[in-house]
Amino acid sequence: MARAGVKTAIRSQIELRISCEKLADRDITSKSDPCVQLKIQHNGRWVEHGRTERLQNTLNPKFSKTFIMDYLFEEVQKLKFLVYDIDNDTHSLADDDFLGQMECTVGQIVSKKSLSKPLLRRSNSQGRIIIVAEELPESKQLLVMSLRGHNLDNKDFMGKSDPFLELWRT
């Protein structure tokens, strides 16, 4: 319950999933190894919120790492997505190849559920970034599953098969 004179923000927790298409290829012997850095503007300064994992040799990455954040309905929350080609194991991005950036607000993403925009790099653009937002339910229930395969066909000519299961979020 809100106290008199205290303003409570209306908020919802969201999850952002990121993918890119047709990124610039900055590597000579292979394709780029992209990573996305997310920054949030706070009191006029850009602050890093997090980074995706680095995906090897792809110009069309679909990142597994998601970003969870509060969506404040009555505030303009500015976001900046910066895409880099990671060529080393250092934490600093200053020595990596910059592939482009996109700025938007959380409200723009949430209102469309999926926002696709070009990545800007100096005066030109190459590639697109796609941000998908999903509101997280308030329930904190945990789902535990146990899966097992029986009598699976042997698909390898020599040796045993290496079966696996793919789970997709829809």
Side-chain angles (χ1 to χ4, degrees):
M1 174 182 261
R3 294 183 310 222
V6 176
K7 187 176 181 180
T8 58
I10 300 172
R11 66 180 64 220
S12 177
Q13 200 168 58
I14 61 169
E15 178 182 51
L16 301 179
R17 283 180 271 136
I18 302 172
S19 61
C20 298
E21 296 175 345
K22 300 177 183 173
L23 293 177
D25 190 359
R26 298 280 181 238
D27 289 347
I28 297 171
T29 59
S30 63
K31 292 182 172 51
S32 293
D33 304 324
C35 169
V36 176
Q37 178 188 42
L38 170 59
K39 291 186 174 185
I40 299 175
Q41 194 174 58
H42 183 69
N43 294 331
R45 296 186 57 220
W46 289 105
V47 178
E48 182 173 334
H49 181 74
R51 297 179 187 184
T52 64
E53 74 277 17
R54 173 179 67 173
L55 295 180
Q56 300 281 332
N57 298 319
T58 181
L59 302 179
N60 299 295
K62 290 178 175 43
F63 298 98
S64 297
K65 166 106 171 54
T66 61
F67 298 106
I68 296 176
M69 61 189 312
D70 286 333
Y71 170 41
L72 307 173
F73 296 100
E74 298 172 355
E75 289 184 26
V76 176
Q77 296 168 274
K78 293 184 180 180
L79 304 177
K80 185 186 295 188
F81 297 88
L82 300 108
V83 183
Y84 292 90
D85 174 16
I86 307 295
D87 293 319
N88 54 50
D89 291 328
T90 64
H91 184 71
S92 172
L93 296 171
D95 53 353
D96 295 308
D97 296 325
F98 178 67
L99 299 179
Q101 72 178 29
M102 186 271 288
E103 290 185 30
C104 65
T105 65
V106 176
Q108 288 173 311
I109 300 170
V110 170
S111 68
K112 295 184 179 190
K113 300 213 188 247
S114 178
L115 181 67
S116 176
K117 287 190 139 190
L119 287 170
L120 302 177
R121 185 172 174 263
R122 295 191 186 105
S123 61
N124 63 354
S125 68
Q126 181 169 358
R128 297 189 74 74
I129 187 165
I130 299 101
I131 315 296
V132 176
E134 181 178 343
E135 184 175 6
L136 296 177
E138 302 232 355
S139 171
K140 301 292 184 202
Q141 294 179 350
L142 176 66
L143 172 67
V144 178
M145 298 184 343
S146 178
L147 305 169
R148 185 184 315 187
H150 291 282
N151 301 322
L152 299 174
D153 288 342
N154 188 2
K155 298 295 183 186
D156 285 352
F157 179 67
M158 299 181 70
K160 293 186 176 185
S161 293
D162 298 321
F164 63 94
L165 175 67
E166 280 188 88
L167 297 175
W168 291 86
R169 177 183 223 163
T170 59

